[in-house]
Amino acid sequence: MSQLPMMLGSWLKITNHLALKLASLINQKNSFIKFLLVGLLNTIVGLGFMFFLKNGFNLPYWVATFTGNTLGAVVSFLLNRSFTFTSCVPIKEGVPRFAAVIIICYLFSFSISRLLAESLTDRDWQMNLISNDSLAILLGTGIYTISNYLGQKWYVFKKGAA
């Protein structure tokens, strides 16, 4: 566990470097495309950690999804504030708003996805190819991405919020 801050620091350096490279390639006015690119990176980081913790360490569903989602949220806040929305929202104001959106989206998305996964796993098409928890993680990630974008755009980083 003592290496986690070093690993997180390395991830943040890598993601910041990637964001700067992407910024030079993308039109500065298209926040949706930038959000999707940041979201892709955020999803790779968060989802990767979720599956790593759930399947690699056999941690419980809620621990794995919360931890992976939290790490992805840190990447998301930093890159969306500076890169996607080029926001002037002060960190003191932005972080609590961001945390509220993240928590609401997390609870909503992963609770709904858990219920959906449980109802879908009784179907013949699934044929036990994926566990309930893994299916719920995949469904939750999609729901979370959409609800998180809307919350960040309209509440956390909205124009005139500074």
Side-chain angles (χ1 to χ4, degrees):
M1 268 310 198
S2 64
Q3 290 183 348
L4 185 59
M6 289 179 14
M7 289 173 39
L8 180 57
S10 296
W11 272 104
L12 293 177
K13 286 179 186 176
I14 292 168
T15 57
N16 188 42
H17 180 71
L18 289 173
L20 293 174
K21 283 193 178 259
L22 288 173
S24 67
L25 300 172
I26 298 171
N27 179 350
Q28 293 296 319
K29 296 185 185 223
N30 197 333
S31 71
F32 184 69
I33 290 174
K34 290 192 272 186
F35 185 84
L36 290 176
L37 290 171
V38 168
L40 179 63
L41 182 60
N42 171 34
T43 299
I44 290 168
V45 171
L47 192 59
F49 269 89
M50 285 181 204
F51 282 118
F52 179 69
L53 295 173
K54 176 67 184 137
N55 298 322
F57 286 100
N58 202 27
L59 292 179
Y61 172 81
W62 289 109
V63 173
T65 59
F66 183 82
T67 305
N69 207 62
T70 299
L71 182 59
V74 170
V75 171
S76 179
F77 178 81
L78 296 173
L79 294 180
N80 281 318
R81 183 177 183 269
S82 63
F83 173 68
T84 304
F85 300 109
T86 55
S87 175
C88 295
V89 171
I91 294 199
K92 284 179 161 180
E93 189 177 316
V95 168
R97 287 181 180 191
F98 184 83
V101 168
I102 294 298
I103 290 167
I104 290 166
C105 290
Y106 167 75
L107 291 173
F108 170 75
S109 302
F110 288 99
S111 294
I112 294 296
S113 69
R114 190 82 188 251
L115 294 172
L116 285 171
E118 289 172 359
S119 70
L120 292 173
T121 55
D122 292 335
R123 312 288 178 184
D124 291 334
W125 66 268
Q126 188 206 12
M127 299 182 297
N128 296 322
L129 296 175
I130 188 170
S131 71
N132 283 1
D133 286 348
S134 292
L135 180 59
I137 289 171
L138 291 173
L139 292 170
T141 299
I143 297 166
Y144 177 83
T145 299
I146 294 165
S147 61
N148 184 35
Y149 174 75
L150 297 174
Q152 285 192 42
K153 183 168 178 68
W154 293 338
Y155 181 63
V156 179
F157 299 116
K158 71 180 179 178
K159 299 289 184 209

